[in-house]
Amino acid sequence: MIRKLLAIVPLLAVAFCSSAQEKKLTIQDAMLNARTALAPQNLSQIQFIYGSEDYVYAKPIGGSPVWYSGNAKSAEKAFLTLTQLNQRFRAAQRDTLQAMPFIQFNQGADWVIYTGTEKIALNPQSNKVRVLVDKDAATKQHAEESSAGYVAYVDNHNLFVSKDGDKFQVTTDGSSDIVYASSVHREEFGISKGTFWSDNGKLLAFYRMDQGMVTDYPIIDWTSIPAKNVNIKYPMAGDKSHHVTLGVYNAETRALVYVQTGEPAEQYLTNIAWSPDNRFVYIAVVNREQNHMKLNQYDAVNGKFVKTLFEERDEKYVEPLVPMLFLKNDPSKFIWQSNRDGWNHLYLYSTTGKLLKQLTSGQWEVLDVKGFDAKGGSLFYVSTEDSPLTRNLYALNLKTGGSKRITSGSGVHNTQVSSSGKTVIDNFSNISLPREIRLLSVAKPSDVKVLLRAENPLQAYAVSAPQLITIKSNLGDDLYATLYKPVGFDAAKKYPVVVYWYGGPHAQLITNSWNGGAGDYWFRFMAERGYVVLTVDVRGSDNRGKAFEQSMFRNAGTVQMEDMLRATDYLKAQPFVDAANMGLFGWSFGGFVTTNFMLTHPGVFKAAVAGGPVINWRFYEVMYTERYMDTPQENPEGYAATYLSNRVEQLKGKLLLIHGQQDPVVVQQHSVDFVKHAVDKGVQVDYMIYPGHEHNVLGKDRAHLYQKVTDYFDLYLK
């Protein structure tokens, strides 16, 4: 299937850009307008209305959004105007709104409305309003409401729970060292928040993180006069890590217990889940070494350990990312995601801990679970079964074990499923199609209603479309890449080259989607300026199976550089490539491998840009680093080999380092350390900072950054 895809796509890409094109992209077009004026047309906030097969979206009418609705059989019509919404607000004796708010119609029978100052639920039949998060709580940190009307939030470091204006302070010892109800473990293991309400909305599980033992790390606030230091807690690899426990608060009885997760204190409490009967809390407990996981059950009343349902071990690392999912119609069974067979798949378990069966299998990855149909007999999931470059929706019959593909067309399908499980909104694109939004029948996926077919937003511009190509690694793995040829390409000429990569876990640059998966048009911008541009996913990248990612274990960068050599071999074999003028660019992990490659293989690239680069894994955080590198004490050879400052004298080409000065992820010490060693060794490097920015340079300054990178390559490659 992939070979067919790659044979067809270049022809489509050529045809796609063959029409008359006059305008040229500016850096503002490429970096800022790519997400606004030059983004493919969309149906704003499209979603299903809960309990129906009707969809709604916000359509701009006369400068003000109007919600329109439709379904598979009926034409679209106006559904809700601001005037009509305000009539409902007046009926509920609420203040009217000056602008149409964001509304969720798919969360239940009530419409969930964000007014700007609070979050409310409006019943469309009775016009009665329930306040979900009031004005006071909405201004606090981590506010989250429950199904029973309680709201949890953090104020002045402590956890509070309120309802109907009555609030109770759950904790009293919160501080910068004792952190409540926030994400923990540096947001690894899929952790993105710190509060977890039970199904009945009366019990709250929450994280408590003691980071008093973690060393302070200075981040300078340069906006103050004089500048001042703002300390953050940053546990570096091999050092002490924070201690996390899980509290359970009963909002009705106001009883508080802590789950007895035991020793050692330095362990990871991940993937929190409640049992459907609200009696138990489940935690995937991972040891600090990250090679052993226990799925544990705890009593929510007294916090006591009940049992371990099962364990997973791996000689390299385990990384549970998704909590258990209980079957809709059988609370004695749940679904667990694991890559234990080499690929992320779904497994059916009983709450006794017995494995009942593996639900999906094959050399492809389950990427997302969309939920059950109304009866609970089918489960919808997204996978790469068709190709690592694509995303498709499937319906799994839990009784028979059979799966049915719902979406059609090779590309990336971003989908929503109606509450009944009968209808799907499919937001589809591929490398030659900017966007097509379709309404599909699950029973008969060939029944399609096209809601939007977006035109090419770049049709007036002289740009180069990407071509999907495949490069073989030295082990025979397919390395997917996109190639942009210069605008006005002349096969008789030789062109300078820019290569962009990342190469680390949890990132995939290349997909068969609009713009090749890139979120901006900088690659096209560079092709417009006469460059050949290559982006490539090397080993270590996401969604290619466990072995593909774990190949970097204990030796970060080694396999990535091997694959980059194969990519450069491919480029050098092209008669239109000027191999003497090639540039390399990467950010974060990509900044690490870029710097590493320039030192390890001097002369291949004439110039390089490394943004937010990891220079010494000893300086990086415990959770991420120790997963892929073990500790510095366990793997001294691996850490020594990847301490790039110690090899600065091997640099032969031009290197620009860029860093956000308030970066709390890859702290600035990395690049500063490299510059210091360069000075000591008499090696010239270039350096640019972005004050006020963290790990990613965002907003209008992003255009400035990419102009800086462009100018650097223009200076040394042309």
Side-chain angles (χ1 to χ4, degrees):
M1 184 66 191
I2 296 171
R3 290 194 183 96
K4 290 182 181 178
L5 168 68
L6 297 177
I8 292 171
V9 164
L11 298 177
L12 291 173
V14 171
F16 197 64
C17 64
S18 62
S19 60
Q21 298 159 321
E22 302 293 337
K23 298 171 68 175
K24 288 190 174 183
L25 292 169
T26 66
I27 196 68
Q28 287 75 24
D29 288 332
M31 302 311 303
L32 305 180
N33 295 342
R35 291 172 172 81
T36 55
L38 292 180
Q41 184 184 0
N42 202 357
L43 298 180
S44 177
Q45 303 172 60
I46 188 167
Q47 58 191 283
F48 282 109
I49 297 176
Y50 184 85
S52 78
E53 309 309 311
D54 293 348
Y55 62 87
V56 292
Y57 67 93
K59 184 176 182 179
I61 303 292
S64 178
V66 173
W67 289 95
Y68 271 69
S69 70
N71 57 46
K73 297 179 180 179
S74 68
E76 292 178 359
K77 59 183 179 181
F79 176 73
L80 183 67
T81 67
L82 179 59
T83 298
Q84 291 169 333
L85 180 61
N86 278 333
Q87 288 172 351
R88 293 177 178 273
F89 271 43
R90 291 189 190 98
Q93 297 182 330
R94 299 277 304 182
D95 291 338
T96 56
L97 303 174
Q98 297 301 309
M100 181 65 78
F102 175 68
I103 306 175
Q104 288 181 286
F105 298 94
N106 57 6
Q107 297 300 298
D110 292 344
W111 301 346
V112 177
I113 303 174
Y114 301 81
T115 67
T117 59
E118 58 186 348
K119 182 178 179 182
I120 64 172
L122 171 67
N123 186 292
Q125 276 71 48
S126 67
N127 285 334
K128 290 184 178 179
V129 168
R130 291 183 297 113
V131 176
L132 302 177
V133 180
D134 63 26
K135 294 178 181 179
D136 180 59
T139 63
K140 310 301 183 184
Q141 289 183 305
H142 313 307
E144 183 179 11
E145 75 276 12
S146 80
S147 59
Y150 294 99
V151 178
Y153 60 88
V154 174
D155 186 19
N156 194 26
H157 300 295
N158 280 300
L159 174 64
F160 291 78
V161 170
S162 67
K163 183 179 182 180
D164 299 329
D166 182 28
K167 67 178 181 180
F168 182 77
Q169 185 168 346
V170 180
T171 67
T172 58
D173 61 340
S175 67
S176 59
D177 284 345
I178 306 296
V179 180
Y180 283 106
S182 304
S183 59
V184 297
H185 305 320
R186 300 284 296 180
E187 298 192 335
E188 298 292 336
F189 310 102
I191 297 169
S192 61
K193 65 192 190 81
T195 51
F196 311 89
W197 284 105
S198 62
D199 287 358
N200 66 7
K202 299 175 182 178
L203 300 168
L204 176 69
F206 62 91
Y207 281 129
R208 179 187 189 272
M209 177 170 64
D210 181 355
Q211 53 183 4
M213 69 293 298
V214 176
T215 304
D216 287 338
Y217 193 90
I219 300 290
I220 305 301
D221 176 6
W222 297 96
T223 62
S224 299
I225 302 175
K228 65 180 181 181
N229 177 56
V230 179
N231 283 327
I232 64 170
K233 293 292 187 177
Y234 194 92
M236 288 186 174
D239 289 349
K240 291 182 178 180
S241 184
H242 53 235
H243 299 172
V244 173
T245 52
L246 191 78
V248 176
Y249 174 70
N250 188 317
E252 288 194 325
T253 66
R254 297 185 175 177
L256 172 62
V257 299
Y258 282 91
V259 175
Q260 298 173 19
T261 48
E263 297 292 335
E266 290 191 353
Q267 59 185 355
Y268 302 118
L269 307 184
T270 76
N271 299 275
I272 310 301
W274 278 96
S275 63
D277 62 6
N278 312 291
R279 293 177 55 202
F280 302 104
V281 174
Y282 296 88
I283 307 175
V285 181
V286 180
N287 62 341
R288 175 160 174 172
E289 293 76 12
Q290 299 190 51
N291 56 14
H292 183 201
M293 184 277 295
K294 295 181 179 180
L295 184 59
N296 287 347
Q297 180 185 26
Y298 300 90
D299 191 304
V301 174
N302 55 33
K304 291 184 178 179
F305 169 78
V306 178
K307 65 175 181 287
T308 296
L309 277 67
F310 61 85
E311 303 178 42
E312 287 190 359
R313 298 177 184 269
D314 190 281
E315 62 180 8
K316 295 178 178 177
Y317 55 85
V318 296
E319 188 184 6
L321 292 169
V322 183
M324 59 206 295
L325 175 66
F326 285 91
L327 297 195
K328 191 171 186 176
N329 52 12
D330 188 350
S332 69
K333 298 175 183 175
F334 65 91
I335 293 169
W336 182 254
Q337 295 191 37
S338 172
N339 65 359
R340 66 183 64 162
D341 73 348
W343 305 84
N344 191 58
H345 282 298
L346 307 179
Y347 295 81
L348 183 64
Y349 275 89
S350 75
T351 50
T352 64
K354 180 182 179 182
L355 175 61
L356 301 177
K357 60 180 174 180
Q358 184 170 346
L359 295 171
T360 61
S361 62
Q363 294 187 3
W364 46 271
E365 300 263 282
V366 172
L367 302 182
D368 189 20
V369 171
K370 294 289 186 177
F372 302 97
D373 64 1
K375 295 182 179 179
S378 290
L379 180 74
F380 295 95
Y381 67 89
V382 177
S383 82
T384 63
E385 184 172 355
D386 181 49
S387 159
L389 301 176
T390 65
R391 307 287 184 268
N392 280 286
L393 180 71
Y394 294 81
L396 170 68
N397 186 307
L398 292 170
K399 185 175 182 180
T400 66
S403 289
K404 178 175 76 170
R405 179 170 161 176
I406 306 301
T407 49
S408 61
S410 185
V412 170
H413 299 264
N414 294 306
T415 53
Q416 300 178 52
V417 183
S418 66
S419 53
S420 68
K422 295 179 180 179
T423 313
V424 171
I425 297 171
D426 178 16
N427 194 326
F428 169 63
S429 79
N430 59 35
I431 203 162
S432 60
L433 177 68
R435 176 176 282 117
E436 187 170 283
I437 299 180
R438 309 161 171 175
L439 200 66
L440 312 176
S441 166
V442 171
K444 191 178 179 182
S446 58
D447 285 350
V448 176
K449 179 180 179 179
V450 177
L451 307 182
L452 170 72
R453 186 176 286 113
E455 294 184 355
N456 175 14
L458 298 176
Q459 59 186 348
Y461 290 80
V463 292
S464 173
Q467 301 175 27
L468 288 170
I469 63 171
T470 304
I471 301 167
K472 289 289 185 181
S473 76
N474 57 357
L475 296 180
D477 293 304
D478 287 332
L479 308 176
Y480 298 113
T482 53
L483 180 71
Y484 298 77
K485 292 181 180 178
V487 174
F489 175 73
D490 182 347
K493 292 184 178 180
K494 287 187 178 292
Y495 297 94
V497 176
V498 171
V499 178
Y500 184 83
W501 64 334
Y502 180 80
H506 299 295
Q508 181 181 4
L509 300 180
I510 312 301
T511 57
N512 181 22
S513 60
W514 170 245
N515 208 35
D520 56 57
Y521 297 135
W522 186 74
F523 303 141
R524 296 177 188 253
F525 175 76
M526 294 299 283
E528 185 182 79
R529 297 175 66 84
Y531 289 92
V532 171
V533 182
L534 182 80
T535 62
V536 59
D537 279 326
V538 295
R539 278 175 290 171
S541 302
D542 205 10
N543 303 324
R544 296 293 305 278
K546 182 164 68 171
F548 196 83
E549 179 186 286
Q550 289 189 343
S551 60
M552 61 174 274
F553 182 64
R554 289 173 65 91
N555 293 286
T558 300
V559 297
Q560 287 89 348
M561 288 188 292
E562 290 175 1
D563 291 350
M564 180 53 69
L565 284 173
R566 298 304 292 258
T568 57
D569 287 344
Y570 166 83
L571 288 168
K572 291 175 181 178
Q574 308 309 308
F576 52 84
V577 163
D578 180 1
N581 287 290
M582 298 199 301
L584 186 61
F585 179 23
W587 198 274
S588 192
F589 193 99
F592 159 69
V593 288
T594 292
T595 308
N596 202 353
F597 193 95
M598 291 295 287
L599 302 177
T600 307
H601 301 284
V604 176
F605 290 99
K606 189 175 181 181
V609 179
V614 173
I615 296 297
N616 183 351
W617 286 104
R618 171 68 179 87
F619 298 165
Y620 200 60
E621 63 186 39
V622 165
M623 299 78 191
Y624 184 100
T625 306
E626 293 180 6
R627 179 185 311 136
Y628 304 116
M629 290 286 288
D630 283 339
T631 66
Q633 297 84 357
E634 294 166 325
N635 184 20
E637 298 85 0
Y639 279 81
T642 53
Y643 183 16
L644 305 184
S645 297
N646 281 344
R647 293 190 282 125
V648 68
E649 68 274 11
Q650 296 174 231
L651 180 67
K652 303 303 180 186
K654 298 296 183 179
L655 176 62
L656 169 63
L657 303 174
I658 303 177
H659 224 122
Q661 227 175 357
Q662 276 62 54
D663 192 340
V665 179
V666 180
V667 293
Q668 197 181 359
Q669 185 170 0
H670 287 271
S671 57
V672 169
D673 185 78
F674 190 87
V675 170
K676 177 66 170 77
H677 280 70
V679 172
D680 291 345
K681 296 290 185 178
V683 176
Q684 292 292 331
V685 296
D686 296 297
Y687 196 68
M688 180 68 183
I689 58 170
Y690 279 89
H693 287 278
E694 296 190 354
H695 190 50
N696 291 306
V697 177
L698 303 175
K700 65 179 181 62
D701 292 353
R702 193 167 182 82
H704 185 282
L705 184 156
Y706 273 82
Q707 186 65 61
K708 183 74 175 179
V709 175
T710 301
D711 293 345
Y712 198 76
F713 287 137
D714 282 352
L715 178 63
Y716 292 111
L717 302 184
K718 286 190 172 182

